[in-house]
């Protein structure tokens, strides 16, 4: 290569060094207290299923409270948040903070894994949104119903699902840790 050809190219810059915050978060995500909850694939699937069930319960409780005016249901929703936070922590611990840590705190393998999780979550959301859209169109055309009433709730469900899908996919895709000798 000539000097002219190499002058326009820049060498890839390595990611910046992890900061103290990155090191603290990495240590937090790699603590072992929750290991019994995610030690096997079946337990991880159970935690992800529980997280999905808690998310649905919280969303339904909120929707019913809004629709009926029974504001005491918000206390039920707050009570469901504690196990939801615990399940979120277990999934984050199982994935070693794959989605919570900044890129500079991850190695190349982890960054590639995060990209794979993001791509799978994106494809899954695409299928779910397509199904939901076809369902709304079908309800409007075939059912002769007014779907605009339920549209805000459907959008809230889509937003929550879009937000949490990468966490659920990561929790389901994480591999078992190698057995100790």
């Amino acid at each position: 290569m000539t000097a002219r050809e190499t002058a326009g190219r820049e060498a890839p810059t390595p990611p910046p060094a992890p900061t103290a915050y990155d090191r603290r978060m990495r240590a937090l995500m790699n603590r072992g207290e929750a290991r019994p909850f995610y030690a096997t694939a079946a337990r991880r699937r159970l935690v992800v299923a529980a997280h999905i069930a808690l998310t649905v319960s919280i969303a339904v409780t909120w929707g019913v409270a809004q629709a009926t005016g029974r504001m005491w249901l918000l206390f039920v929703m707050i009570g469901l948040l504690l196990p939801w936070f615990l399940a979120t922590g277990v999934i984050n611990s199982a994935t070693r903070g794959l989605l919570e840590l900044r890129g500079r705190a991850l190695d190349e393998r982890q960054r590639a894994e995060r990209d794979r999780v993001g791509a799978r979550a994106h494809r899954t959301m695409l299928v779910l949104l397509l199904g939901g859209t076809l369902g709304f169109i079908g309800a409007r055309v075939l059912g002769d119903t007014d779907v605009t009433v339920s549209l805000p709730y459907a959008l809230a469900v889509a937003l929550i699902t879009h937000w949490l899908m990468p966490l659920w996919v990561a929790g389901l895709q994480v591999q078992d840790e190698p057995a100790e000798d």
Side-chain angles (χ1 to χ4, degrees):
M1 271 189 195
T2 65
R4 176 183 262 174
E5 291 173 341
T6 58
R9 294 185 183 175
E10 294 182 20
T13 57
T19 63
Y21 171 80
D22 294 326
R23 289 188 294 275
R24 280 193 315 270
M25 288 301 293
R26 186 173 188 83
L28 178 67
M29 294 293 173
N30 286 293
R31 292 176 62 174
E33 288 91 348
R35 186 162 292 139
F37 294 109
Y38 63 81
T40 64
R43 289 181 185 174
R44 287 190 299 275
R45 284 192 297 269
L46 184 63
V47 170
V48 171
H51 194 270
I52 292 170
L54 287 165
T55 302
V56 169
S57 299
I58 290 167
V60 167
T61 303
W62 174 79
V64 170
Q66 294 297 316
T68 63
R70 297 180 180 161
M71 292 302 133
W72 62 268
L73 287 172
L74 296 178
F75 292 108
V76 173
M77 187 179 84
I78 291 170
L80 291 170
L81 282 174
L82 178 62
W84 185 87
F85 285 131
L86 290 173
T88 302
V90 169
I91 296 171
N92 280 331
S93 184
T95 62
R96 304 279 192 234
L98 185 69
L99 301 172
E100 299 300 321
L101 297 174
R102 296 190 284 194
R104 70 178 77 187
L106 301 174
D107 60 25
E108 288 179 24
R109 180 193 58 79
Q110 290 168 318
R111 285 193 293 271
E113 180 66 22
R114 183 167 58 182
D115 290 344
R116 279 192 296 275
V117 164
R120 168 101 19 114
H122 177 75
R123 286 190 303 268
T124 305
M125 274 305 301
L126 178 66
V127 169
L128 291 175
L129 288 171
L130 179 63
T133 302
L134 292 175
F136 267 94
I137 291 171
R140 178 75 170 119
V141 172
L142 300 176
D144 213 18
T145 59
D146 185 21
V147 294
T148 57
V149 174
S150 59
L151 193 58
Y153 296 109
L155 289 174
V157 167
L159 175 68
I160 292 167
T161 307
H162 176 72
W163 171 48
L164 292 173
M165 186 61 70
L167 179 69
W168 296 336
V169 168
L172 292 172
Q173 281 189 347
V174 71
Q175 300 295 315
D176 287 336
E177 293 180 7
E180 294 181 22
D181 292 336

